[in-house]
Amino acid sequence: MIDRIYLDNSATTPLDPSVLEAMMPYLTTDFGNASSIHTFGQKAKMAIDKARHQVVSLLNARSPNEIVFTSGGTESNNLAIRGLVEANSRHGRHVILSAIEHPAVEAVCEDLQKQGIELTILPVYDDGIVRLDDVREAVRDDTVLITVMAANNEIGTLQPIREIGQFVRELRDAGRKIWFHTDAVQAVGKIAVNVEEIGCDLLSFSGHKINGPKGVGGLFVRRGVRLHAQNIGGRQERGTRAGTENVAGIVGLGAAAELAASNLDDIDTRIRSIRDRLESRLLESVPDAIPNGDRDRRLPNIANISFSSIEGEALLIALDMQGIAVSTGSACSSGTLEPSPVIRALGHGDDIARGAIRFSLGRQNTAEHIDKLLAVLPPAVERLRSLKPVTQ
Ligand SMILES: *Cc1c(COP(=O)(O)O)cnc(C)c1O
C-alpha cells in the first residue's frame, strides 16, 4: 500500500474526525424528526439550532433566520438564483453573471434564459477577475440579479464581491429592485467570509468543501430578501426549503463551520506557504509551465498550472499511478476531452487549456506532500512530452 497524497481539496475534503464525532449521535440514538413535539424531536431541533448559530458565527450573519440549510452548494445556487428571479419577476427579467461561474450557477442561468430571462456574461480577462466597471456597464433598468462567485473553483481567483456588494446597496438605496448573490463555496473556510462586509443578499456554501459531510450545505438569505421556494410541501426552513431536515448532516456542517473559523490562520500561513513553494518550484523546474489566473488575488490553497504540449488528463493519471491526486478542471464529455471553459475564459488557446492542472491543498497537507509532488511531477511531464508525436 502506498500512502496516497490528496491535493484535490477543491473537489472535496476529508471529513474531520471531530465532525464525525459530533454527527454520530444523530445517526444512531438521537434520530428524532425535528418537527416532532416529543423529546426525540426537540433534541433534533436543538441540534439544528446549534448548527445554525455556528454558521451564523462563521459568516457573521445577523440572525439564525438568515440561514437556510440545503443539500449542498448546487441546491443553494439553484434556490438563490431561480428563487430570487421567480419571486421578483415583476421587477425585471435581466441577470448578470461572470464567465467563470460554477456549472451550478451557469446552468441555472441558462435554463432561466430559455424561459425568457436575458443574461449578460461578464468577461474575466487574463487574470481571471471580473471588473466592477463592467458590472456597472452591464446593469440595466430591468436587472434583478447579479451573481458573481467569491472565489473561482479552478484557479482560485478572488472576485471584487465587496465592491459589487457596495454598488448593489447603492442602487437599492436609490430605490432599485436589484439583488446580489455570491457562490462562496470555495471561499468559505479558506479566507474570512463576512456577509456584512461583502454586503451580499444571498451567499451559497457547502459542507463537504470544509471538512464536513457531503450532501449538506446552506444559503445565507439576508433579512427581507424574498425567494420563491423550490421545494414545497412542508414548513421546514421557514417554508423556504421543505423536507425533513438532514439532522446529522446539518450538525456536521455546524461543527465543520466552527472548525473552519479556527483554521483560517493555518490556511493563511502554513498552507499558503507550501502552496507558494509548490508553485514556484514547479515553474522553475518544468519548462513551459504557465500559471493560470492572478497570483496575488486568489485563495491561499490553490495553484493552477498549464503544462504546454501535454494533456492534463494524461498527467493526472501519471500522478495518480504514483499515489498523488490532482485534478484537471476539464470536463470529459462523451470520450472527447473538452478544454476547461475557465482557462479558455482567460483567453488561452486549446494547448494551454488542455494542459491545465489544479493543485488544491487542504489542512491535512504537509510540506512532505509537496516534496513528493516536486520529485514526481517534472519527470512525468518530461516523459509525456517525449511520448507525444511531433506533428509539425
Ligand atoms: C463544489 C462547488 C459547488 C457545488 O457544491 P456541492 O455541495 O458539491 O453541490 C458550487 N460552487 C462551487 C464554486 C463549488 O466549488
Side-chain angles (χ1 to χ4, degrees), residues 10 72-75 77 102 104 149 151 153 183 185-186 206 208-209:
S10 295
T74 300
E75 186 191 332
N77 286 340
H102 188 272
M149 68 200 328
N153 47 298
D183 173 348
V185 170
Q186 289 294 337
S206 174
H208 74 101
K209 305 283 176 86

Side-chain angles (χ1 to χ4, degrees), residues 9-12 70-77 100-105 149-154 183-187 204-209 213-218 358:
N9 290 272
S10 295
T12 194
T70 66
S71 65
T74 300
E75 186 191 332
S76 297
N77 286 340
I100 56 168
E101 292 303 310
H102 188 272
V105 165
M149 68 200 328
N152 181 261
N153 47 298
E154 288 187 35
D183 173 348
V185 170
Q186 289 294 337
S204 304
F205 55 95
S206 174
H208 74 101
K209 305 283 176 86
K214 292 172 180 59
V216 65
R358 175 185 69 187

